[in-house]
Amino acid sequence: MDQHDYKNMTLLDRIKCINRGDVLVDVGACRGTYTQFFANRLMHTGKLYCLELSPTNFKRLQKDFSNYSNIEFVNAAISDLDGSLPYYEGHTSETHNILGHDANFLKNKEVGTIQSITLDTLLKDEKYIKMIKIDVEGAEGRVLKGMKEVAKRTEYLLLENHFDEDWEEIREILIEEYDFTCYNIETDTLINMTSKRPYQCL
């Protein structure tokens, strides 16, 4: 767990926004840091969606959390379309993505195609979602565009923002289109339409 994850989880515990029986969504579960945090708070109640792009990471998640009957595992790219997409191997297990480049805009190796699904499709039967955590190595704008209906039924988003180039559009989606109140976790300040990109926002 890095310092950002620790600060995020400390904040979530402090504001007591996760309770037993909630529906939670971990988009970009990777090695399961947030899946474990969410599962510990749900205590085998409610429902937790564990969503991961990398087949290797996904198999490990299924094994590590096999004793949780309230977790639904989905090996797919979460984006703004239903179909299939090429996916790319990152330099570490945490950096696989659908963009084709890493955080430094260096090209990644294409390793295959994978099912793509929107959150609107995946969560169409969920009437209320307490929290969606999104960490998808730069594809967060595409995830947000694919959850127009789900956003209306979601109380909290925990979002990791990777690129300055995408922030203006993401900020507009969050604040103006989806009407979320956004909070910069690192600086403890509210985000408005002139705020610079926060690395982590709630």
Side-chain angles (χ1 to χ4, degrees):
M1 181 191 304
D2 65 21
Q3 61 178 340
H4 299 289
D5 295 333
Y6 177 78
K7 188 166 187 177
N8 292 346
M9 293 174 185
T10 301
L11 172 63
L12 297 181
D13 278 343
R14 187 173 77 240
I15 64 176
K16 299 179 180 179
C17 61
I18 299 174
N19 300 290
R20 296 184 67 180
D22 284 339
V23 176
L24 308 174
V25 185
D26 186 357
V27 182
C30 192
R31 290 177 292 185
T33 300
Y34 282 88
T35 299
Q36 186 67 70
F37 175 79
F38 290 153
N40 288 347
R41 272 75 191 156
L42 291 178
M43 297 177 66
H44 297 275
T45 69
K47 188 165 186 178
L48 172 55
Y49 289 85
C50 178
L51 317 178
E52 172 56 26
L53 169 71
S54 162
T56 301
N57 288 344
F58 181 75
K59 289 177 183 176
R60 182 170 56 194
L61 289 164
Q62 285 184 306
K63 179 180 178 181
D64 290 348
F65 296 97
S66 60
N67 60 325
Y68 289 89
S69 61
N70 64 329
I71 298 181
E72 180 172 334
F73 299 93
V74 179
N75 184 201
I78 308 303
S79 75
D80 55 349
L81 62 86
D82 296 318
S84 63
L85 286 172
Y87 82 96
Y88 301 85
E89 189 175 70
H91 301 297
T92 70
S93 64
E94 299 177 325
T95 55
H96 305 301
N97 65 35
I98 58 173
L99 299 180
H101 62 79
D102 64 13
N104 296 313
F105 293 94
L106 298 176
K107 187 176 181 180
N108 284 343
K109 178 184 177 182
E110 183 176 337
V111 290
T113 59
I114 196 162
Q115 177 191 8
S116 171
I117 189 169
T118 66
L119 289 180
D120 277 344
T121 297
L122 180 65
L123 304 174
K124 65 182 185 300
D125 296 326
E126 295 293 349
K127 295 180 180 179
Y128 170 75
I129 299 148
K130 191 61 169 290
M131 175 172 289
I132 300 175
K133 165 259 177 183
I134 302 170
D135 180 2
V136 287
E137 299 304 312
E140 48 271 12
R142 297 190 65 173
V143 176
L144 291 173
K145 290 175 186 176
M147 55 173 290
K148 294 180 185 294
E149 295 304 316
V150 164
K152 301 173 185 176
R153 311 192 302 273
T154 300
E155 187 168 349
Y156 293 98
L157 284 180
L158 177 61
L159 180 66
E160 186 164 299
N161 302 285
H162 288 81
F163 299 117
D164 289 333
E165 293 82 359
D166 298 334
W167 172 240
E168 184 176 346
E169 182 179 32
I170 289 171
R171 183 178 59 196
E172 183 174 343
I173 291 172
L174 290 173
I175 297 175
E176 294 196 340
E177 185 174 352
Y178 293 168
D179 198 30
F180 280 109
T181 298
C182 298
Y183 172 81
N184 185 328
I185 297 174
E186 187 172 9
T187 61
D188 295 326
T189 56
L190 286 174
I191 295 168
N192 58 40
M193 288 304 293
T194 62
S195 298
K196 294 182 179 180
R197 175 180 65 92
Y199 183 57
Q200 310 267 354
C201 65
L202 179 65

